[in-house]
Structures are given as C-alpha cells and as structure tokens.
C-alpha cells in the first residue's frame, strides 16, 4: 500500500510540474534596463506576442502612472517592443503588464525609477515567473526523489535474504 501512495505522489508531482513550467515559459515580458533614472528610457518587450496578431498593449502602473503604451514594432528577438521615456515619473517601482493583439497575456515585469545619477546598469527581466519556475522545479525534484525511494524499496523487498 505504501508503494502505491508513493507512486500517486510521484505522478501528482510530475503532473503539476508539467503544468507549471510551460505556463511560466510561455508568457514573457522583459523591461530593459530594470533600473533607470528619471528621464531615462526603458525598452518594453513582449517576446510571446505575435506581430501578425495585432498590436501589443503594455499597461504601466506605479506610484503616479496608469497608462497604456501601444506597440506595433517587431522586436529583434521576436515579439513586439516599445520604448518608454520616464520623464515625469516619480521615484519608485512600476509594473508592466502586457496584452497581446490576440487578447492573450504577454506576462508582466517591473522596473524601478531612481534619482538621476543613482541608477546601476543592468538588464530587466520577468519577475512574475520566478515563483512558478521554482514551484515547478520543486515539484519535479520531489517526484524524482519519490520515484528513487520507491525503486530502492522494491529492490530491497525483492533481494533474497541470506
């Protein structure tokens, strides 16, 4: 009976990991750089939006913003991108949420506006999928450990007693 419960736990872990990892990998919005001074420019890129499906809408929300930025520009690596000039932004963290032309989600990312002269160089990324990737990896790891334990128990049970 114990082997069945381990097998069910393993199957459940593999199933959940399989569902979470592709969802995290599909929708991706990138903001580069992740930190910019007031008056700087950030590039918003939705890598999974198909330019043939219509414009991408980047919704920028934060301390003093709730605006949409429309993009029809094809990004070099695929998807759609737009440039956002941060003049008039207050200091703080802003969230960019993308909707593709076909109505699907393009993911979300954040960037921070800092005082002039205080922004370190660095690329932006998609912070929203980090938790999904970690959860999917943990589930896949638990499934692998459960399968290993089950195989070892079966080998011990099948071994002849001397």
């Amino acid at each position: 009976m114990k082997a069945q419960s381990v097998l069910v736990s393993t199957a459940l872990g593999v199933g959940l990991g399989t569902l979470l990892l592709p969802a995290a990998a599909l929708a991706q919005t990138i903001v580069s750089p992740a930190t910019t001074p007031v008056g700087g420019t950030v590039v918003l890129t939705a890598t999974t939006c198909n330019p043939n499906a219509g414009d991408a809408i980047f919704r920028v929300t934060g301390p003093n913003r709730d605006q949409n930025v429309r993009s029809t520009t094809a990004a070099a690596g695929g998807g759609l991108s737009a440039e956002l000039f941060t003049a008039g932004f207050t200091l703080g963290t802003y969230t960019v949420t993308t909707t593709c032309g076909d109505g699907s989600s393009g993911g979300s990312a954040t960037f921070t506006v800092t005082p002039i002269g205080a922004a370190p160089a660095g690329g932006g990324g998609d912070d929203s999928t980090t938790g999904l990737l970690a959860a999917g990896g943990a589930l896949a790891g638990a499934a692998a450990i459960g399968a290993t334990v089950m195989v070892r128990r079966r080998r011990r049970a099948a071994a002849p007693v001397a």
Side-chain angles (χ1 to χ4, degrees), residues 14-137:
V14 169
L16 287 174
T18 302
L19 291 175
L20 290 175
L21 287 173
L26 290 178
Q28 186 173 11
T29 293
I30 299 169
V31 180
S32 181
T35 304
T36 188
V38 173
T41 301
V42 293
V43 177
L44 314 173
T45 305
T47 61
T48 57
C49 290
N50 182 351
N52 296 328
D55 302 349
I57 303 294
F58 297 97
R59 182 172 181 199
V60 180
T61 56
N64 71 333
R65 291 281 176 222
D66 188 357
Q67 73 181 73
N68 290 330
V69 178
R70 181 178 298 271
S71 172
T72 57
T73 305
L80 291 165
S81 67
E83 288 186 354
L84 178 64
F85 187 54
T86 62
F89 280 54
T90 59
L91 304 181
T93 300
Y94 293 82
T95 300
V96 179
T97 306
T98 307
T99 304
C100 299
D102 61 4
S104 65
S105 171
S108 65
T110 60
F111 69 95
T112 303
V113 176
T114 60
I116 295 175
D126 183 4
D127 297 331
S128 67
T129 60
T130 303
L132 285 174
L133 289 172

